[in-house]
Amino acid sequence: MPPTQASFVSGCQISDNVVIFQEMLHTMRKKQGQVRYMALKIDLEKAYDRLRWPFIRETLMDLRLPIKLVEVIMNCLNCSSFNVLRNGEKTDSFTQSLGVRQEDPLSPYLLVLCLERLNHIIEDAVNQGAWKAITTSQGGPPLSRLCFADDVVLFGEATLEQARVINHCLDLFAQLLEKR
């Protein structure tokens, strides 16, 4: 996991990223000069419901997990069935076809692993020099994002070019999510 991820990671606390975020906002407020900074908060509140199972499977395979383990995890996702009470009568059973159940202990880990794909896209853009990460101090580490449970805060220079780069990265991630 990257140092920007603090949720559901052993030894990390979400409060770590809160402190870093406050420092970033302080830096942004005090910034002088021609180049300004921006922060974009993305709320992934519905991410649990929208994760497509082929995307989860592909993510697990990209981690080079043993195929048997991937199959067990995928079976855990699609083995449950649901009923609805309508006018006091139970409907026929149906199964879920996408998303993960929020109360499932495996779900937060699957979400973090899937969001790691977004982290890789952003890291590639930063490494190629397209995304200009920002620092809080001279010689400090550059920061392009902070990840929380189901929120991501993106940082960059406040230019139209950087907004396009960020939008492109988010589009790439959305295309991965939608790919069947």
Side-chain angles (χ1 to χ4, degrees):
M1 293 296 140
T4 58
Q5 176 59 262
S7 302
F8 314 114
V9 177
S10 178
C12 295
Q13 297 180 12
I14 200 165
S15 58
D16 298 344
N17 276 0
V18 172
V19 172
I20 294 169
F21 179 65
Q22 289 174 333
E23 184 63 29
M24 294 301 290
L25 290 180
H26 175 75
T27 297
M28 292 170 75
R29 276 191 218 104
K30 299 295 181 190
K31 176 78 171 120
Q32 294 181 4
Q34 291 184 359
V35 178
R36 297 299 217 184
Y37 295 150
M38 66 177 159
L40 302 168
K41 180 184 172 284
I42 301 175
D43 185 356
L44 301 168
E45 175 185 353
K46 300 287 185 192
Y48 281 100
D49 301 331
R50 300 225 169 105
L51 284 177
R52 294 188 184 278
W53 290 353
F55 179 74
I56 295 171
R57 176 185 252 300
E58 183 180 310
T59 299
L60 296 172
M61 296 300 290
D62 284 351
L63 288 170
R64 297 186 178 147
L65 293 176
I67 189 70
K68 293 279 189 194
L69 180 57
V70 172
E71 294 303 324
V72 167
I73 292 170
M74 295 310 296
N75 284 334
C76 287
L77 291 178
N78 62 26
C79 69
S80 59
S81 62
F82 304 90
N83 297 84
V84 176
L85 285 179
R86 192 174 95 205
N87 296 330
E89 299 285 322
K90 200 190 288 190
T91 63
D92 291 337
S93 295
F94 61 93
T95 58
Q96 186 174 339
S97 61
L98 70 119
V100 292
R101 295 180 304 279
Q102 290 187 35
E103 57 281 340
D104 186 329
L106 192 58
S107 295
Y109 300 105
L110 292 174
L111 179 65
V112 167
L113 289 173
C114 289
L115 290 180
E116 190 61 16
R117 307 276 298 270
L118 175 60
N119 280 317
H120 287 282
I121 292 169
I122 293 170
E123 196 61 33
D124 287 346
V126 169
N127 290 339
Q128 293 169 6
W131 186 313
K132 300 195 181 359
I134 62 176
T135 61
T136 58
S137 63
Q138 190 173 8
L143 191 62
S144 56
R145 74 235 178 251
L146 286 173
C147 302
F148 298 88
D150 60 356
D151 295 310
V152 178
V153 180
L154 306 174
F155 299 101
E157 291 182 358
T159 64
L160 185 56
E161 176 188 333
Q162 285 299 286
R164 287 185 179 127
V165 169
I166 291 170
N167 190 52
H168 177 70
C169 290
L170 294 173
D171 282 345
L172 285 175
F173 183 63
Q175 288 170 12
L176 285 175
L177 282 172
E178 294 299 318
K179 190 169 73 172
R180 294 175 191 235

